[in-house]
Amino acid sequence: MPHQVRYHEPKWWKESVVYEIYVSSFKDSNNDGIGDIPGIISKLGYLRDLGVDIIWVSPHYKSPQVDMGYDVADYQKIHEPYGSMKDVDSLIERTHALGMKIIFDLVINHSSDLHPWFEESRSSVDSPKRDWYIWRPARYDAAGKRHAPTNWRSNFGGPTWSWDEKTQQYYFHIYAPEQPDLNWENPDCRRALYDTAIRFWLDKGIDGFRVDTVNRYSKRVDFVDAPVTDPADETQLAFHNFTNGPRIHEYISEMRAVLDEYDVFTVGELPNTPDESDVMRFISAQAKQVDMVFNFDTVYLGQTPGDRFRLQNFTKKDFKRELTKWQNVIRDTDAWTTVFLENHDQGRSVSRFLSDDPAYRIQAAKMLALVLGTMTGTLFLYQGQEIGMVNAPSSYPVEEYKCIRSVNHYNKIRRQTGGDPAALKEALNALQKVARDHARVPMQWDDSANAGFCAASVTPWMRVLDSYREINVTSQNGKKGSVLEFWKTVIRFRKQYKGLAIYGRFQPIEQHEDVLTFIKEDTDGKVLFTVANLSDQPQRWSLPSSYPRLKPSNLALSTRSQVVDHSSLAAFEGRVYVSDVL
């Protein structure tokens, strides 16, 4: 019996282009070297002209910034260098006035250790909020030496447990010691989160949330040791013990009931969940969990699970497989997915997957835009991606890397090897490829000093990349053939042909290993065909004979201004053919 063909139900958030803004690095309005909310407001017109429908604002809450705002000290206050609550209210109002929507980051797996809840929790073992966080007694060996409750390794390296001298117990944290995990087993804690972190902002009129680490609220509460896979380290990988725990879908359903009081959407961050059936439990519309999730199969290419800085080689075939994986998985289902290659936690896509060589950079960036723009799912852009920003060069000094993960890794290698120059060089090479810092450098607005992010007389919180002289908004805006103008074209095309580009039924077509090709079909029988050369060498290809309606004259979009040979692609060239375009 043939498989039933289903098409996805249209929704406004499926058709939207979402643009992530990293507040500290987007635009500094008061010349203190730190981006801020008024800076975002000043660029809303630029985002609307780009074709953005939704802006996603990274954590702007009061925070000591141990992990760039993902350590929240108060959900209802603003990080002072970013501005005031009045500024945030104005941002919401101005965004809506320009016909766009706005979502915030929802960080509720953990808080800052300076959050009043945690300060009260650690004040005494008898504190009414003691059980709002995860506390456990020490373990002692035969010699009476104290050990953590488990051997689990945190995401930032080191143990998931920190000792509290005052109350003589350990508290649990998946991330930094300054980010203690909230105890979702406690219903009072959950209700407080719903009221202070969710309803408070939805009542102010925001349109949804990007939900941080959406699958880590439920842990194994028997706290058994993880298998020893790294005998040289006292801590062990333990994702399976604190990810997708036994009550996770109960918790998400409860949170969804709160969200359903409003017309909003959610996109969840879903790490360490490779099994497709596990993911479907989050994104199936019938399951009523989150509307979509970020799957990291593509952006994690070349990284060792549990150690992003231990790099491995990957091929163009690997890239194609992972990039199209979720296109295939959600086909003929009621589930939805995301289309993205960049965010605040990843290196720049041109550098990571293609080539940032000046000879190829522009073509490579445009080709990725064309491919992403014709894939099924909600399209997410990260600031600077629309102008083809690239990673910091290999000459970038290690002292300029600010991210806690980068600093921890480099210091770990220095400690383990006694400062061995070869080992440190290898560590720096890994940082240059996959450090989170590459996404966090200031946005490159123009070719003036500090790239127009802040005044020339100011030292920005993070060094501006030297590439700002060649790669910036002003030099590309309105310039035919630029990456920025091509992104505008892709977004317009995506919306014009949304039945195909957004909702079309995806079908991979395999040709040359270095060439990515796929078909999209709509309910009316129209066909879209995307072809992209992933290499820096010319490649031969052909229109699929199984779709006779597609002809060379159906060319609808191309990364190059002129197409001479319809059977050959130049380096990093991409094209789209649509059956009803002549």
Side-chain angles (χ1 to χ4, degrees):
M1 186 173 176
H3 190 80
Q4 181 185 7
V5 175
R6 295 175 58 176
Y7 289 89
H8 296 281
E9 180 186 1
K11 297 279 188 182
W12 62 266
W13 39 264
K14 293 180 180 179
E15 300 170 15
S16 296
V17 174
V18 187
Y19 186 99
E20 182 187 358
I21 294 173
Y22 201 68
V23 184
S24 60
S25 299
F26 189 62
K27 183 70 174 95
D28 173 17
S29 72
N30 60 357
N31 287 318
D32 63 356
I34 302 171
D36 46 47
I37 301 298
I40 298 173
I41 294 172
S42 74
K43 296 296 184 181
L44 288 176
Y46 163 77
L47 297 175
R48 179 197 58 192
D49 292 345
L50 175 59
V52 170
D53 302 293
I54 302 171
I55 63 170
W56 153 23
V57 182
S58 67
H60 59 285
Y61 317 104
K62 182 179 178 180
S63 167
Q65 299 288 310
V66 170
D67 186 24
M68 292 305 300
Y70 285 90
D71 47 322
V72 179
D74 193 319
Y75 292 103
Q76 298 180 344
K77 291 183 180 176
I78 310 304
H79 183 51
E80 287 189 6
Y82 291 170
S84 65
M85 185 63 78
K86 184 178 179 182
D87 292 327
V88 175
D89 290 339
S90 178
L91 173 63
I92 297 169
E93 181 183 344
R94 293 283 295 278
T95 301
H96 287 156
L98 288 172
M100 297 183 291
K101 296 181 184 293
I102 183 169
I103 65 172
F104 287 165
D105 236 296
L106 184 60
V107 188
I108 51 178
N109 173 74
H110 48 269
S111 74
S112 166
D113 63 342
L114 299 184
H115 195 292
W117 295 348
F118 186 72
E119 292 182 328
E120 185 175 336
S121 180
R122 78 186 310 176
S123 66
S124 163
V125 292
D126 300 318
S127 164
K129 286 190 170 59
R130 184 67 170 182
D131 194 39
W132 283 37
Y133 293 83
I134 300 169
W135 294 90
R136 289 295 183 274
R139 294 190 296 184
Y140 292 90
D141 60 24
K145 183 181 178 182
R146 188 185 76 222
H147 296 276
T150 69
N151 65 352
W152 301 356
R153 182 180 302 164
S154 84
N155 260 35
F156 291 167
T160 56
W161 300 94
S162 287
W163 178 251
D164 180 62
E165 191 65 35
K166 180 178 180 181
T167 59
Q168 295 288 294
Q169 285 190 337
Y170 285 91
Y171 66 87
F172 179 79
H173 51 88
I174 291 176
Y175 299 95
E178 296 87 354
Q179 294 170 286
D181 278 46
L182 289 146
N183 181 18
W184 277 66
E185 298 282 327
N186 185 309
D188 292 333
C189 177
R190 298 200 304 273
R191 281 192 289 269
L193 285 170
Y194 302 153
D195 287 341
T196 62
I198 297 179
R199 286 193 177 96
F200 176 80
W201 291 107
L202 292 179
D203 287 342
K204 281 184 171 289
I206 70 166
D207 303 287
F209 291 101
R210 176 264 188 185
V211 188
D212 191 55
T213 59
V214 72
N215 56 345
R216 290 191 166 149
Y217 308 148
S218 175
K219 289 88 172 169
R220 282 191 60 166
V221 293
D222 52 359
F223 292 105
V224 296
D225 274 347
V228 176
T229 55
D230 185 2
D233 199 312
E234 64 177 349
T235 64
Q236 305 297 318
L237 293 179
F239 295 133
H240 56 286
N241 286 336
F242 55 69
T243 304
N244 299 318
R247 299 184 67 186
I248 189 63
H249 293 289
E250 174 191 343
Y251 295 155
I252 303 300
S253 294
E254 187 177 88
M255 182 171 69
R256 175 66 179 253
V258 176
L259 292 160
D260 280 348
E261 298 169 15
Y262 307 80
D263 180 21
V264 297
F265 91 98
T266 52
V267 52
E269 180 190 27
L270 198 76
N272 309 119
T273 309
D275 191 288
E276 295 171 8
S277 62
D278 289 338
V279 176
M280 290 296 286
R281 294 184 67 190
F282 284 92
I283 61 175
S284 165
Q286 190 174 6
K288 292 188 177 297
Q289 298 278 286
V290 289
D291 294 313
M292 65 193 92
V293 297
F294 293 118
N295 303 100
F296 299 102
D297 311 84
T298 309
V299 296
Y300 282 174
L301 273 172
Q303 301 177 28
T304 301
D307 186 355
R308 74 187 291 148
F309 299 112
R310 185 144 45 101
L311 303 181
Q312 304 168 350
N313 292 327
F314 62 90
T315 65
K316 296 290 192 295
K317 186 176 181 180
D318 296 329
F319 178 68
K320 290 195 296 185
R321 181 189 65 247
E322 300 303 341
L323 185 65
T324 59
K325 174 180 176 180
W326 292 100
Q327 302 287 293
N328 289 309
V329 171
I330 67 163
R331 185 178 56 217
D332 302 326
T333 74
D334 69 346
W336 195 244
T337 191
T338 53
V339 178
F340 79 103
L341 280 178
E342 295 189 19
N343 62 30
H344 62 281
D345 284 334
Q346 310 300 331
R348 294 294 184 172
S349 56
V350 173
S351 300
R352 284 274 284 120
F353 304 115
L354 299 179
S355 173
D356 55 18
D357 184 309
Y360 301 118
R361 171 180 53 78
I362 294 173
Q363 280 299 316
K366 290 163 68 174
M367 184 266 280
L368 287 178
L370 178 141
V371 169
L372 295 177
T374 52
M375 296 181 81
T376 299
T378 299
L379 178 60
F380 285 78
L381 282 178
Y382 181 72
Q383 64 186 49
Q385 184 179 357
E386 77 277 17
I387 57 172
M389 282 181 66
V390 296
N391 278 6
S394 56
S395 59
Y396 199 64
V398 69
E399 293 78 19
E400 299 290 354
Y401 287 91
K402 309 292 186 188
C403 171
I404 185 173
R405 296 186 81 164
S406 303
V407 173
N408 284 357
H409 173 70
Y410 194 82
N411 288 341
K412 175 185 175 182
I413 298 301
R414 178 159 40 201
R415 186 173 61 251
Q416 287 181 342
T417 66
D420 175 64
L424 292 178
K425 183 180 180 180
E426 184 180 345
L428 184 58
N429 177 61
L431 293 183
Q432 194 276 326
K433 288 181 169 59
V434 298
R436 303 194 296 180
D437 303 74
H438 301 296
R440 302 178 178 192
V441 296
M443 176 70 177
Q444 295 167 191
W445 292 105
D446 58 40
D447 62 0
S448 66
N450 288 329
F453 167 72
C454 58
S457 58
V458 175
T459 300
W461 78 276
M462 196 171 184
R463 175 178 167 177
V464 175
L465 295 185
D466 293 341
S467 60
Y468 77 89
R469 296 179 181 91
E470 296 78 40
I471 306 173
N472 62 73
V473 170
T474 300
S475 67
Q476 296 187 29
N477 204 13
K479 182 182 178 183
K480 188 176 180 181
S482 70
V483 178
L484 176 60
E485 289 303 315
F486 189 72
W487 262 112
K488 292 178 184 177
T489 299
V490 167
I491 290 171
R492 285 194 298 269
F493 176 89
R494 182 174 174 81
K495 292 176 179 178
Q496 178 183 355
Y497 290 97
K498 67 181 181 180
L500 286 164
I502 299 175
Y503 293 113
R505 187 173 186 271
F506 179 88
Q507 184 64 44
I509 305 289
E510 192 57 48
Q511 294 192 14
H512 190 280
E513 182 174 328
D514 288 342
V515 177
L516 170 67
T517 51
F518 58 83
I519 286 283
K520 303 288 288 295
E521 291 183 83
D522 69 9
T523 52
D524 297 326
K526 295 192 184 80
V527 180
L528 176 152
F529 178 70
T530 296
V531 56
N533 181 4
L534 303 178
S535 76
D536 60 4
Q537 298 297 313
Q539 300 293 344
R540 306 293 294 180
W541 70 282
S542 60
L543 287 165
S545 57
S546 52
Y547 292 88
R549 292 180 60 192
L550 285 171
K551 298 176 175 58
S553 58
N554 296 146
L555 181 66
L557 186 62
S558 173
T559 56
R560 300 176 75 88
S561 56
Q562 271 191 315
V563 173
V564 178
D565 184 352
H566 280 273
S567 61
S568 178
L569 294 168
F572 300 117
E573 182 180 357
R575 299 178 200 157
V576 179
Y577 295 81
V578 179
S579 60
D580 65 335
V581 170
L582 293 173

